Amino acid sequence: MNKKTTKIMDKWLNLLSKKLSGLKTSDRKDIIENYRDLWNEELSLNKSANEILLGLRPIDEIAKELYEEFEVIKKSKSDVTKIKIVNSKSEATSSWIKSINNGFIKIFGFTYSVMAILLSFIFFISFVAIIILIPVALVLAFINYEFLVVLPLAIGVMGIGIILAIFFYFLSSSSYLTVKTIFNKWFGKSKEFKDKKKILSRLMLIMIIIGGSMAGIGAVTSTVGNHSIYGSVLSGNYLNHSEVENFQLNETITKAFDGKESEFSAKSIVYVDFDWGLTPWTIFEAKQDKDLSNNQIAIQKHFNFKESLGNEFKITEKPEASYWEKNENSSYDTGRLYLKFHISAPWNAKFLSITPIKYEIAYNFKINDTPVENIIVRF
C-alpha cells in the first residue's frame, strides 16, 4: 500500500468517525475498525483507492443508517463532506497549480503585512499625537482667552479629540490584527480574546457617544450668540477692542518723496502695507475718513483674546522702508507711494490663533495739494 492510498483511506475513515460522533466511543471504534478491514481487504485484491471509493456508499448515508440501527438521534447537524476522486495526472496538475497559488498567496501576504505594519505605525503615531497635542492646545487656549469664553470650545475640541483618537486607534489596531492573522491563522479565535474585544467595542461605543455629545454641545455653544467665541466673530461684535492708534505720516511722506512731491498726481496710488510676519489670523477693514487730518491713519484692533493680550499687538511705522516710485510708462498710474508698517504679536498668540484679530483702518491723504482717492491697504 503506497502513501497516497493510505492517506485517502485515513481521510475517509476520519470523516466517517466525525460523522459518527453521536455514537458511543466503543461502538464508533468498532465500526471504524470494520471499515478499515474492508479497505484492507479490497486493497489486497489490487483495487485502487478510487475504485474502493466508488464501491462505497456516501458517508452521510452510512452514518444515517448506523444512527438508525443504534437508535441514536444526532443532536448537531454536520456538514456534508465529499472526497474528490482524481487520477494521477489530474492530481499532479492540481498539485502544480496549487504550489503556484500558494507562492502568490505568500508574496501577497508578505507585501500586505509590510503595508499593514507601516499603516499601523502611522495610525498609532497619529493616535499618540492627538492625545498629546489636544491638551497642549487647550492649555494655550486658556492662556490666550478668558476661561468662560473658551470653555465651550474646549469641550467641543475634547469631544472631537476623543472621536479622532478612537478612530486612529481602531485603524491601528485593525492593521495590527491583520498582520497577526496573516502570520498566525489561529490568532484572535480564543474565547477570551473575543470577550475582551466585545468589552473594548462597547467601551469605544460609549466613548464615541460621549465624544459626539461633547462635540455637538461645544459647536453650538461656541457659535450661537454675540458673546460666544465664534458667534461674536460672525456678527462682527468682537468681545474686546483697543484704543484707537493715530499715525501722522507727514514726515514719513516727505522723506519718501525726497523733494519729488510734484510728481504725485490724482492718478497716483498710495499703498499702505502692513508687514504682519508671524502674527496670527488677521483680517482688516479699511475706509477713508475725511474727518481725519491730512496724511493721517487711525487704527483700532478688535479681538476675542484677553484684553491684556490684545494690547500687546504692536503697530509701528517703518519710515526707512517707505518710498516713492514714479511710473513713466502709464498714463493711468503716474506713480506709487509705498508706506510701510510692521505688526508684532506676543509669542503665545502666534502658536494658537483660533479667532482672528480685526484691524479697522481709517485714513485720509492729501499730497501735493491733491486729495488721494487711490489708496490700497495690504496685509
Side-chain angles (χ1 to χ4, degrees):
M1 187 188 306
N2 56 39
K3 291 183 179 180
K4 174 186 169 184
T5 303
T6 302
K7 185 176 180 180
I8 294 175
M9 180 183 71
D10 290 338
K11 182 177 180 181
W12 190 91
L13 293 172
N14 287 334
L15 291 174
L16 178 60
S17 179
K18 290 180 181 179
K19 289 289 183 179
L20 300 177
S21 60
L23 299 179
K24 293 181 180 179
T25 303
S26 57
D27 293 335
R28 185 170 68 253
K29 185 176 180 181
D30 291 338
I31 293 169
I32 296 302
E33 287 301 321
N34 289 336
Y35 273 97
R36 187 183 298 277
D37 292 339
L38 176 62
W39 270 83
N40 290 329
E41 182 179 346
E42 294 290 325
L43 290 171
S44 66
L45 298 176
N46 294 324
K47 289 186 178 181
S48 67
N50 289 345
E51 291 175 336
I52 297 172
L53 288 171
L54 290 172
L56 293 170
R57 290 177 297 163
I59 289 178
D60 287 336
E61 187 177 330
I62 295 173
K64 181 181 178 182
E65 181 179 321
L66 289 170
Y67 279 123
E68 291 175 352
E69 180 180 342
F70 285 88
E71 297 181 353
V72 175
I73 299 175
K74 190 165 170 45
K75 294 182 179 179
S76 60
K77 184 178 180 181
S78 300
D79 296 331
V80 177
T81 307
K82 297 180 180 178
I83 296 180
K84 186 176 181 181
I85 303 173
V86 296
N87 56 40
S88 58
K89 290 184 179 180
S90 63
E91 183 176 328
T93 303
S94 176
S95 177
W96 179 74
I97 294 174
K98 187 181 293 185
S99 63
I100 293 177
N101 289 339
N102 288 339
F104 279 116
I105 290 172
K106 288 179 180 178
I107 293 173
F108 174 77
F110 176 77
T111 304
Y112 187 84
S113 298
V114 172
M115 293 179 62
I117 290 172
L118 293 176
L119 289 174
S120 177
F121 178 75
I122 292 171
F123 293 142
F124 178 75
I125 293 299
S126 301
F127 167 74
V128 173
I130 290 173
I131 297 298
I132 295 174
L133 292 179
I134 286 183
V136 174
L138 291 177
V139 169
L140 285 175
F142 281 111
I143 291 175
N144 292 349
Y145 297 85
E146 297 294 345
F147 179 81
L148 293 179
V149 171
V150 79
L151 180 60
L153 180 63
I155 293 173
V157 170
M158 285 190 291
I160 294 173
I162 290 172
I163 295 173
L164 289 177
I166 291 174
F167 175 72
F168 283 113
Y169 173 81
F170 173 77
L171 292 179
S172 174
S173 177
S174 298
S175 300
Y176 171 76
L177 291 178
T178 300
V179 176
K180 294 290 290 185
T181 302
I182 290 174
F183 286 103
N184 184 357
K185 65 180 181 180
W186 302 112
F187 183 81
K189 293 187 177 181
S190 65
K191 187 176 185 300
E192 180 182 358
F193 177 81
K194 287 184 177 179
D195 290 342
K196 289 182 178 179
K197 188 175 181 180
K198 287 181 180 179
I199 295 172
L200 184 60
S201 298
R202 291 173 183 173
L203 180 61
M204 284 188 174
L205 179 60
I206 293 172
M207 292 180 67
I208 288 174
I209 294 173
I210 294 173
S213 301
M214 292 173 64
I217 293 172
V220 172
T221 54
S222 296
T223 55
V224 175
N226 292 336
H227 297 289
S228 64
I229 191 167
Y230 286 115
S232 59
V233 175
L234 295 173
S235 65
N237 299 317
Y238 288 77
L239 302 179
N240 295 307
H241 61 269
S242 67
E243 297 293 331
V244 177
E245 298 180 62
N246 292 297
F247 295 88
Q248 183 54 250
L249 303 176
N250 283 324
E251 185 177 347
T252 300
I253 292 173
T254 300
K255 289 182 178 180
F257 276 108
D258 193 22
K260 300 177 182 178
E261 287 88 343
S262 59
E263 295 178 355
F264 191 89
S265 69
K267 295 181 179 180
S268 299
I269 302 174
V270 174
Y271 286 93
V272 182
D273 293 335
F274 289 87
D275 172 20
W276 59 291
L278 294 177
T279 55
W281 185 6
T282 303
I283 59 176
F284 70 94
E285 180 181 296
K287 62 181 180 180
Q288 188 173 22
D289 185 356
K290 294 186 177 181
D291 292 334
L292 296 175
S293 303
N294 290 337
N295 303 327
Q296 183 181 4
I297 291 180
I299 303 174
Q300 186 176 33
K301 300 187 292 285
H302 301 268
F303 48 87
N304 284 344
F305 296 109
K306 290 180 179 178
E307 189 170 359
S308 58
L309 181 64
N311 290 330
E312 291 184 36
F313 285 76
K314 303 297 183 182
I315 304 173
T316 55
E317 283 188 73
K318 296 176 66 178
E320 71 283 356
S322 300
Y323 62 95
W324 161 254
E325 182 181 69
K326 185 178 180 181
N327 187 0
E328 298 178 349
N329 299 321
S330 174
S331 58
Y332 300 99
D333 175 10
T334 58
R336 302 173 182 180
L337 175 62
Y338 295 91
L339 301 174
K340 304 291 185 177
F341 290 82
H342 176 71
I343 301 175
S344 61
W347 69 269
N348 47 317
K350 295 178 182 180
F351 289 101
L352 186 66
S353 177
I354 55 178
T355 58
I357 179 168
K358 177 183 177 181
Y359 292 90
E360 190 174 349
I361 303 169
Y363 53 80
N364 185 38
F365 287 97
K366 187 176 183 180
I367 302 173
N368 193 27
D369 293 327
T370 303
V372 181
E373 299 293 338
N374 299 322
I375 301 172
I376 299 175
V377 178
R378 302 185 299 186
F379 272 76

